[in-house]
Amino acid sequence: MTSPTESTRLVDPRGNRLGTASHEAADRVESALWRMMSFYDAPIADLAAAREADPRWALPATLLAGHLLAQGEPGHAQAARALLDEAEPLLAGAPEREQAHHAALCALADGRWQQAARAWGELLLDHPRDALALHWAHACDLALGETAALRLRPARVLPEWDEADPLHPCVLGLYAFGLAEGHLYPQAEEAGRRALAGDARVPWAVLAVAQVMDRLGRFEDGAAWLRQHQPGWADGNDFATHLWWQMALFRLEALDLPGVHRLIDAHLSGAALRTARERLDAVSLLWRMHLLQEDVGARFTELLRDWPLDDSHAGHHALVDLHVLLALLGASEMVRAETWVARCAERAMSPEDARRSNHAVAREVGLPMMRGLLAQARGDADAAVTALHGARPQAWRLGGSHAQRELIDQTLLAASAAAHHRAVGRALLNERRMAKPLTPLTRHWVERMGA
């Protein structure tokens, strides 16, 4: 098959030039893109069909590499690099947009997340309807904790999108989530509801509205919201575990611990946990229960038994490293916990790792927090408070959402409740009382702090 000429190349539904003349390949890539943005089934079958329809088109292999990298699994990096290497010879004469995607993913594969995000940002200036660039840039912004970018990036392109485009609700869902992360709660709720009116299958929009309700202490409204939209996200969606986690947070805010256990049994344990992201959700939930002095040690042990942890993965991403440590501490695996922190520190101090975006974050935020957690596990609450409180202002750099990072605040509350000096705990408790004054979980911490 010869390479397509400029006159025979197709364009996607948003007017972006494609590097193929095959309608079958183009249609399959468009289907894969919708799956990536909506999380409905993996795009692997569509991309395999696109590669078969046009073996000379670089974009399907590039997309598959990006899909693997977006999973956050350290073990996927080698397969992703192989796909990028396979696609590289096919880029000669390809549209500049597709070449730019390949270059950005190469940076991402090397751990240079900020460089990748900048590349996609530049691409969106010239191609504001490049859904793929927006999708991957959003993932980078979330991993980097770039809260402002989560809102502003989709805001820069949305006015140029046709509301009839099938992907428009997905883009609006990203914007709603960014508004929620930026504490613009009424706007976030309105945008999320509008996205779902356009397509009920937009999990980012469901999450955005749920997180608004979470941040305002509307835990019963939040649980009802998730149940209302459950038919659109619970089956066949890779985002489902995260939304079940959000449902469990609402039950935890109500101190409905039996309800949390039921959700764990059904959706957040065993075979339900297939990826690192899903295991992080489970760890986060179990750790919050542990802080409430609920006996979940056996659950931590079960989770670790099914988690293929490799010491070589230590230091890949500070937020992941932190959650691995929490799982080890929750399972009372103190020796393994100390070894894990030592391996993370070794990588964070290695000059060879300095080019990766995670390097400075791990050294300046992740390691101090992990050492504070070790101090807490040893019973030194004062040292734990000092370390965690010192690193807390920079916690956003770990990435993730506000809801994910809230476990740091709850850990600091628990450590402060056991420390000699409780001023830090009182200050954090006051923050919570202003945001969620009437929830049972807030009352629990008021009683525990003796406030």
Side-chain angles (χ1 to χ4, degrees):
M1 179 182 293
T2 59
S3 299
T5 64
E6 192 67 27
S7 61
T8 61
R9 285 181 179 143
L10 302 175
V11 295
D12 72 10
R14 286 156 295 284
N16 298 302
R17 180 71 62 182
L18 299 175
T20 185
S22 166
H23 288 277
E24 171 68 13
D27 289 346
R28 287 291 196 159
V29 161
E30 184 67 17
S31 177
L33 177 56
W34 180 82
R35 294 190 189 284
M36 291 169 68
M37 295 193 73
S38 68
F39 296 86
Y40 277 92
D41 297 325
I44 296 171
D46 282 317
L47 293 174
R51 296 173 76 187
E52 184 177 351
D54 185 355
R56 299 294 303 164
W57 190 19
L59 190 62
T62 303
L63 261 68
L64 184 54
H67 172 68
L68 292 176
L69 291 171
Q71 304 307 303
E73 302 276 359
H76 286 173
Q78 185 174 355
R81 286 191 180 93
L83 285 162
L84 291 170
D85 290 344
E86 180 183 336
E88 188 168 6
L90 306 177
L91 289 170
E96 290 185 6
R97 184 181 71 92
E98 295 182 4
Q99 295 182 39
H101 279 306
H102 186 276
L105 285 172
C106 286
L108 192 67
D110 289 339
R112 292 175 285 133
W113 306 330
Q114 288 157 326
Q115 181 175 334
R118 283 196 298 272
W120 281 312
E122 291 296 319
L123 195 56
L124 285 166
L125 292 176
D126 293 327
H127 303 277
R129 293 180 297 279
D130 187 336
L132 188 57
L134 187 62
H135 171 71
W136 279 334
H138 173 88
C140 282
D141 292 335
L142 189 60
L144 292 164
E146 295 289 354
T147 301
L150 288 170
R151 171 176 58 88
L152 294 174
R153 205 181 294 279
R156 294 185 191 115
V157 303
L158 260 171
E160 304 197 38
W161 275 68
D162 183 349
E163 292 191 14
D165 191 307
L167 292 180
H168 181 269
C170 294
V171 178
L172 190 55
L174 294 181
Y175 182 52
F177 179 78
L179 288 167
E181 288 298 292
H183 309 295
L184 298 171
Y185 299 135
Q187 299 95 314
E189 186 165 350
E190 186 275 333
R193 291 178 183 274
R194 188 152 47 94
L196 292 167
D199 187 343
R201 302 167 299 171
V202 182
W204 278 117
V206 176
L207 180 65
V209 177
Q211 291 206 342
V212 167
M213 295 171 177
D214 182 29
R215 302 306 296 174
L216 298 177
R218 296 163 53 192
F219 57 94
E220 295 295 0
D221 289 345
W225 167 260
L226 290 177
R227 285 194 298 270
Q228 175 189 347
H229 292 277
Q230 189 172 321
W233 59 260
D235 295 321
N237 193 281
D238 286 343
F239 216 85
T241 298
H242 195 63
L243 290 170
W244 285 122
W245 171 80
Q246 183 65 63
M247 178 77 84
L249 290 190
F250 288 132
R251 299 325 309 149
L252 199 63
E253 198 70 42
L255 286 186
D256 174 15
L257 295 180
V260 177
H261 279 289
R262 287 193 295 272
L263 286 168
I264 293 173
D265 288 335
H267 305 291
L268 290 153
S269 61
L273 304 178
R274 300 160 299 166
T275 67
R277 286 185 315 204
E278 292 169 343
R279 291 186 178 97
L280 260 59
D281 284 341
V283 170
S284 171
L285 182 60
L286 291 174
W287 184 256
R288 294 166 201 243
M289 298 175 76
H290 168 76
L291 295 175
L292 296 175
Q293 302 171 333
E294 184 79 356
D295 183 4
V296 288
R299 288 194 179 277
F300 274 119
T301 299
E302 176 192 1
L303 189 152
L304 286 168
R305 185 177 61 243
D306 298 332
W307 196 342
L309 287 174
D310 188 318
D311 285 348
S312 66
H313 297 164
H316 176 71
H317 190 304
L319 187 66
V320 176
D321 295 335
L322 188 70
H323 281 75
V324 171
L325 177 61
L326 293 175
L328 293 169
L329 294 176
S332 300
E333 294 269 8
M334 195 66 186
V335 173
R336 285 183 67 191
E338 290 175 341
T339 301
W340 179 261
V341 174
R343 291 191 181 279
C344 291
E346 183 180 3
R347 186 168 186 179
M349 300 302 172
S350 169
E352 290 79 15
D353 200 56
R355 66 188 303 216
R356 296 176 66 247
S357 298
N358 186 67
H359 184 78
V361 179
R363 191 177 64 252
E364 297 165 10
V365 187
L367 283 176
M369 284 194 171
M370 288 195 285
R371 287 169 179 149
L373 289 166
L374 287 177
Q376 184 184 31
R378 296 188 192 106
D380 190 347
D382 292 296
V385 169
T386 298
L388 292 170
H389 180 57
R392 181 180 179 253
Q394 295 294 309
W396 62 270
R397 295 171 61 194
L398 295 171
S401 66
H402 287 299
Q404 288 173 304
R405 295 191 300 270
E406 192 185 13
L407 69 81
I408 296 167
D409 289 354
Q410 293 194 29
T411 303
L412 192 45
L413 278 172
S416 186
H420 292 97
H421 188 53
R422 296 191 171 190
V424 170
R426 289 201 307 274
L428 260 67
L429 182 57
N430 287 339
E431 288 184 17
R432 170 171 263 276
R433 290 165 82 172
M434 292 298 292
K436 305 178 181 182
L438 302 177
T439 74
L441 186 56
T442 297
R443 291 198 296 270
H444 164 86
W445 287 115
V446 168
E447 293 170 4
R448 187 123 161 233
M449 288 295 300

